[in-house]
Amino acid sequence: MAAMAPGGSGSGGGGVNPFLSDSDEDEDEVVATGERRAVLRLGAGGGLDPGSAGSLSPQDPVAVGSSARTGLPGEASAGAVALGSAGETPARLSIDAIAAQLLRDQYLLTALELHTELLESGRELPRLRDYFSNPGNFERQSGTPPGMGPPGVPGAAGIGGLGGREPSTTSGGGQLNRAGSISTLDSLDFARYSDDGNREADEKVAVLEFELRKAKETIQALRANLTKAAEHEVPLQERKNYKSSPEIQEPIKPLEKRALNFLVNEFLLKNNYKLTSITFSDENDDQDFELWDDVGLNIPKPPDLLQLYRDFGNHQVTGKDLVDVASGVEEDELEALTPVSGTLPPTLETLQPVENSMLVQKLEDKITLLNSEKWSLMEQIRRLQSRKLSPAFHQALLSFCRMSADSRLGSEVSRIADSEKSVMLMLGRCLPHIVPNVLLAKREELIPLILCTACLHPEPKERDQLLHILFNLIKRPDDEQRQMILTGCVAFARHVGPTRVEAELLPQCWEQINHKYPERRLLVAESCGALAPYLPKEIRSSLVLSMLQQMLMEDKADLVREAVIKSLGIIMGYIDDPDKYQQGFELLLSALGDPSERVVSATHQVFLPAYAAWTTELGNLQSHLIPTLLNKIEKLLREGEHGLDEHKLHMYLSALQSLIPSLFALVLQNAPFSSKAKLHGEVPQIEVTRFPRPMSPLQDVSTIIGSREQLAVLLQLYDYQLEHEGTTGWESLLWVVNQLLPQLIEIVGKINVTSTACVHEFSRFFWRLCRTFGKIFTNTKVKPQFQEILRLSEENIDSSAGNGVLTKATVPIYATGVLTCYIQEEDRKLLVGFLEDVMTLLSLSHAPLDSLKASFVELGANPAYHELLLTVLWYGVVHTSALVRCTAARMFELTLRGMSEALVDKRVAPALVTLSSDPEFSVRIATIPAFGTIMETVIQRELLERVKMQLASFLEDPQYQDQHSLHTEIIKTFGRVGPNAEPRFRDEFVIPHLHKLALVNNLQIVDSKRLDIATHLFEAYSALSCCFISEDLMLNHFLPGLRCLRTDMEHLSPEHEVILSSMIKECEQKVENKTVQEPPGSMSIAASLVSEDTKTKFLNKMGQLTTSGAMLANVFQRKK
């Protein structure tokens, strides 16, 4: 056996030999190819040359039992031994090569024994495994009919015993007959070779059942081929009709179609039409284009398309040369002709019926043969399986199997569903019992099952129960679980339609509208919006709207009301009942006034834009919605002369601000050029900063218009129209210019200029309005209306200007809301000029500076305008009028907060030093608050020292000794900045100088001045008493100063004297406690508690005084 190695493909098979070794890398392979060939040549005398006719596979068409005798293993071994004795090293063969040779020479039992031993040693060989697991290697393929076998061989011969006999062969068919003695790997039971006992009957049954199954499969396949061949056999008369009438095309046969498909696909691949080949394969997915045998049984592969085309001319003849011929042939000649029938010339087409008849006859013979074998096998199985037991005994025996069909679950298990409807019924019965036993965290996995069953179940009651389970699936569903349920509800709604959604889903929502868990109510609120597109329109505007209204008014959970608002927005996008407009407006006002910021934000992002879109369709945006909000603002201002409700003002004004994009979209859509706005050619780009950033996509003008491209075209036409053609006939824009703007400017004039919040709100509104409507609109329509009202010119300066428009909120709103919209150089110059003019006019007319201060505060909040404000102030510093210089000095205080220390050092401090040496004392005094603010906000040591020196000069220079107003301003500044100033500055400068001022005030002979200073000192000491003060400072300066102040108050204000006495007593007690209990430099807990008690008593007494009320708000401010 060691010499039986493969050499090459056999010449007898005419094709690739499937038994050649394909593994030269096995662990037993130790010799080179040349040595292996030398060993093989030794067996030539015994017929072992692998290229000989004896090297056959079971599939080769040449008979295995031919005269070419294969060499025996013994002979090969002898040759190998001879080689060894001759002095040459014998070569070792791989196990794979040995297996291939055994299979090639049909030593199947030997190969099977080798396969079994390899399996037991854990070294399974793929070649042997594949061979013995393929039943096709053992099936009879001979075309000889039953009873027509060769001499000496019966018709059904070849089935040997189950022992170990070699399979018999036939010389006529050339194929291995079915061998009952050989087990395939599928039916092989390795226990049969063990010594565990005799199980021959069971083994026979297993083998026979397997072979019966394979026989049935073969019969079925042959019957299918026979049916196709019979169905598509064209009668001779029809073929004549096709020949006599060339215009009649003979229908293609399935076999021809599959063959042509294979050739076409092959042509496409050879010529690199790979994508076309893939598409062609997809369109013929029932055919395997990699295997020609898939075309049909025993069909030889014709030449490729190119070869057929080139050979076409050799067979082409004219119609008049075509004749019908008949020919008689022998059976063996017909078999020889059959493989090349696909290439016959047209003159031999008459042979086709004969060929089809022979093919049908061969298939019928095979079926008959297999049927007889099938019945034989079934008879053997029946004999082996037959037992003589009574049915009662069988029933009693089976009763020992433990089965339960009496319970509900047992009944379901024993009753297998046999249709889609029965599956739905079973799920409807089982799901209510399954859900409670699933973990809460995993119940969302049941949602698809519940929904599909609810969709398809025939019983309404069961569907209702399933949907009830869906909405109660999870006790408190989180956000992700709610999204999953909502997704399922929407899918259900799309599937079943509006009627069933109304009848089946909505009642589930209604039942849980007042559920105790907010998560369940949140699911209801979200469901109303998600299902809105799939509900009947009458239900949307009645039941669903009422449900949401009830939840908005009654639900206490902010998250639920937020979801309600979003669902209301969706409803507004689908509602089409104009009678519900007023109800929607009332809901809008309720949502805007909600105490929750989440709800208000959702209103601006979803509800208001959706409601505005519906209002625009109804034509009510300019006729009702915006005018109504403006009227409500005017009413608030009229009623708020003694106290404006700023919350409501913010509510209405923010709503107006959110309506600006919808208003601008309306103006564009109703413009004279709207019909000309067509998308063609290159679309102009919209600048990124063209519009303010929207709060939500629904407030994006491009979303409202339809697309960014369409908006770009409209904007181009809009700017051209405004610049060149005007607004004639443009009703929607004229309403904005002639009605909206004048009313807004009138409202602005009524606002309290000292209300920082109101000024800021209106400033933001005008800024968004101007940015949305564009620069041309702002310059030509907005600015002229403000300028007409303000009339800035020195001719208007008079004593009555204090009541004029310059003192109103119009100034800061115009400056910060209109003039800051665009930041080009000319825009900045215009803003600087306006502020300079306002500062000059207000100063020269001795008018209140509140409007200018409001402008500086609003602009100073943005660091981008700090340089600009300093430019305006420097104009005032160098102005010829002391009044203007004095105003500039006071404005510095407002600009310092938030300003960088570099700017303070380089621009503010030099300006203040210049003003502090001004010829006018009023100008010098006006700089003190600004110096104090620097001490409060700056940490740069050098700058602080410069400010400290300047303040010291005010206090110590003899020329200021009698300057009462200067002392008053310094004391007020110390009281304001002292608690928040740098501690060292407070301890070394502020408190000691307050002590000196209190001492000097004791000597003041003018009671009015003395009381004025004493009152301001009282407020300063009240503010500083809350700071940490060291023991030395307390004993040397703070307490002495309080005692001096008490001396003044004893004569001038006894009520203040009582409070001062209490303060002095508490401070003295604090010092005593610190001295007794704690070492110097630290503060005990007891002392801090005393300090807290002191503050409490002090505030209680301070509340009874009216003179110090203005300072109470800032008394206990801590340094930020």
Side-chain angles (χ1 to χ4, degrees), residues 89 139 149 156 388 390 396 473 478 743 746 774 836 891 932 996 1004 1031 1039 1109:
T89 304
E139 292 179 354
K388 303 299 184 183
S390 68
L473 191 62
D478 59 26
Q743 191 172 0
E746 182 182 356
E836 291 174 351
M891 291 299 110
K996 290 180 182 179
Q1004 177 61 255
E1031 183 180 350
L1039 275 173

Side-chain angles (χ1 to χ4, degrees), residues 941-1075:
R941 178 64 58 185
E942 182 182 348
L943 182 56
L944 289 175
E945 288 297 327
R946 289 163 56 192
V947 173
K948 184 179 176 181
M949 290 174 57
Q950 184 61 50
L951 290 174
S953 70
F954 285 144
L955 290 168
E956 298 168 3
D957 195 325
Q959 64 176 325
Y960 300 116
Q961 286 182 0
D962 299 329
Q963 292 294 326
H964 175 77
S965 58
L966 183 142
H967 293 156
T968 303
E969 196 67 52
I970 286 180
I971 295 170
K972 286 164 57 178
T973 301
F974 282 174
R976 175 173 59 85
V977 305
N980 301 319
E982 199 264 334
R984 184 179 172 187
F985 170 71
R986 180 177 63 240
D987 295 345
E988 296 179 0
F989 189 81
V990 174
I991 294 177
H993 279 93
L994 284 176
H995 180 202
K996 290 180 182 179
L997 289 169
L999 285 171
V1000 171
N1001 199 49
N1002 287 154
L1003 305 176
Q1004 177 61 255
I1005 58 175
V1006 180
D1007 287 347
S1008 61
K1009 291 183 178 180
R1010 186 179 179 184
L1011 179 60
D1012 191 24
I1013 294 293
T1015 304
H1016 288 101
L1017 281 171
F1018 176 80
E1019 293 176 349
Y1021 273 109
S1022 300
L1024 291 169
S1025 66
C1026 302
C1027 302
F1028 172 77
I1029 301 172
S1030 66
E1031 183 180 350
D1032 290 341
L1033 193 63
M1034 181 72 74
L1035 293 173
N1036 298 328
H1037 294 291
F1038 198 80
L1039 275 173
L1042 283 176
R1043 294 187 183 106
C1044 292
L1045 182 57
R1046 184 174 61 179
T1047 302
D1048 290 336
M1049 291 304 186
E1050 285 176 353
H1051 300 89
L1052 304 173
S1053 180
E1055 64 272 20
H1056 287 85
E1057 189 269 335
V1058 176
I1059 298 173
L1060 284 169
S1061 297
S1062 177
M1063 290 174 64
I1064 292 170
K1065 183 178 179 181
E1066 296 293 343
C1067 289
E1068 290 174 345
Q1069 188 177 357
K1070 186 189 302 185
V1071 173
E1072 290 175 5
N1073 290 335
K1074 183 182 287 188
T1075 305

Side-chain angles (χ1 to χ4, degrees), residues 685-861:
Q685 293 293 322
I686 302 175
E687 294 181 12
V688 177
T689 59
R690 170 62 180 83
F691 292 101
R693 179 176 296 176
M695 288 183 63
S696 79
L698 298 178
Q699 289 190 19
D700 191 334
V701 180
S702 62
T703 303
I704 301 172
I705 291 295
S707 69
R708 197 162 182 83
E709 293 75 16
Q710 184 68 22
L711 176 61
V713 174
L714 287 170
L715 283 178
Q716 192 176 36
L717 296 171
Y718 168 79
D719 289 339
Y720 182 84
Q721 181 85 16
L722 284 179
E723 193 170 4
H724 298 97
E725 299 182 8
T727 59
T728 305
W730 197 346
E731 296 300 330
S732 55
L733 186 65
L734 288 173
W735 179 86
V736 175
V737 175
N738 299 330
Q739 295 186 47
L740 179 62
L741 282 176
Q743 191 172 0
L744 283 170
I745 294 173
E746 182 182 356
I747 290 173
V748 163
K750 299 176 182 178
I751 296 174
N752 183 1
V753 70
T754 60
S755 174
T756 306
C758 291
V759 170
H760 177 74
E761 289 289 336
F762 272 96
S763 173
R764 294 298 87 196
F765 174 81
F766 271 98
W767 187 87
R768 295 186 78 89
L769 180 72
C770 294
R771 287 299 302 234
T772 303
F773 277 79
K775 188 170 185 178
I776 299 174
F777 179 85
T778 302
N779 291 336
T780 60
K781 306 299 179 185
V782 180
K783 290 180 181 178
Q785 293 199 35
F786 272 98
Q787 292 165 356
E788 177 65 24
I789 292 174
L790 293 171
R791 295 181 182 177
L792 294 176
S793 66
E794 295 191 5
E795 299 175 358
N796 296 328
I797 298 174
D798 54 37
S799 59
S800 64
N803 297 324
V805 71
L806 288 182
T807 62
K808 296 181 180 179
T810 310
V811 169
I813 290 172
Y814 176 58
T816 62
V818 178
L819 296 181
T820 60
C821 285
Y822 300 96
I823 54 175
Q824 279 79 14
E825 188 60 32
E826 62 272 16
D827 301 308
R828 298 178 72 88
K829 287 181 179 179
L830 185 61
L831 177 57
V832 169
F834 174 74
L835 291 175
E836 291 174 351
D837 291 343
V838 170
M839 183 171 62
T840 302
L841 291 174
L842 290 177
S843 302
L844 296 179
S845 61
H846 301 278
L849 301 177
D850 293 331
S851 61
L852 185 63
K853 288 180 179 179
S855 303
F856 271 71
V857 169
E858 185 71 20
L859 291 171

